[in-house]
Amino acid sequence: MIVRTIDEITDTERDVISSDQQWRSKRIVLANDKVGFSVHETTLKAGTVNDFWYANHIEAVFITSGEGELYDKDNDVTYQLKPGSIYVLNGNEKHQLRPTTEITCVCVFNPPVTGREVHDENGVYPLVTED
């Protein structure tokens, strides 16, 4: 059994802030926990534009607070996000998040991330596996 709190993760190596300071990801469950997925609490700053493309992962995102837009770049569709919204990138869609207020969400990745990944210039996490 794994039991963790956000407070235990805050300000550790599992607490990652983007290089542009637009988002913060607290990695609650990672690949080395060996459960087949990873779980993160991510906060995105209001008024930012965030481009992502998880070419190597399926991601599910559940909005717990805040509002904004999700733009599906592959299909030219914009969705409104608010608390209780969920989106699943089951087609590895290129997407853009545009928070109008600070958004906090819970993200699940499959395959799980290790916590060492860094987004490349296309917003992609490389597929990194545990040794």
Side-chain angles (χ1 to χ4, degrees), residues 11 62 105 112:
D11 298 325
F62 181 74
C105 51

Side-chain angles (χ1 to χ4, degrees), residues 15-58:
D15 186 0
V16 177
I17 299 173
S18 66
S19 60
D20 57 11
Q21 307 279 316
Q22 293 193 124
W23 55 262
R24 180 179 194 171
S25 177
K26 296 181 182 182
R27 280 83 190 271
I28 303 163
V29 176
L30 290 171
N32 65 1
D33 290 313
K34 300 187 184 332
V35 296
F37 56 88
S38 58
V39 179
H40 314 217
E41 178 191 71
T42 301
T43 304
L44 299 111
K45 287 188 177 180
T48 61
V49 176
N50 304 272
D51 290 290
F52 300 109
W53 175 32
Y54 296 114
N56 302 307
H57 300 83
I58 302 299

Side-chain angles (χ1 to χ4, degrees), residues 100-117:
T100 52
T101 66
E102 182 177 272
I103 287 179
T104 300
C105 51
V106 177
C107 309
V108 177
F109 284 88
N110 184 13
V113 301
T114 65
R116 298 186 310 271
E117 294 83 357

Side-chain angles (χ1 to χ4, degrees), residues 63-113:
I63 309 300
T64 58
S65 67
E67 297 183 0
E69 293 180 335
L70 167 67
Y71 175 56
D72 177 346
K73 296 168 80 172
D74 288 344
N75 299 296
D76 193 30
V77 179
T78 300
Y79 301 91
Q80 298 303 307
L81 300 175
K82 62 182 182 178
S85 300
I86 188 169
Y87 63 91
V88 180
L89 302 164
N90 60 322
N92 305 101
E93 294 86 356
K94 295 177 183 174
H95 60 288
Q96 187 176 80
L97 287 169
R98 302 182 283 221
T100 52
T101 66
E102 182 177 272
I103 287 179
T104 300
C105 51
V106 177
C107 309
V108 177
F109 284 88
N110 184 13
V113 301

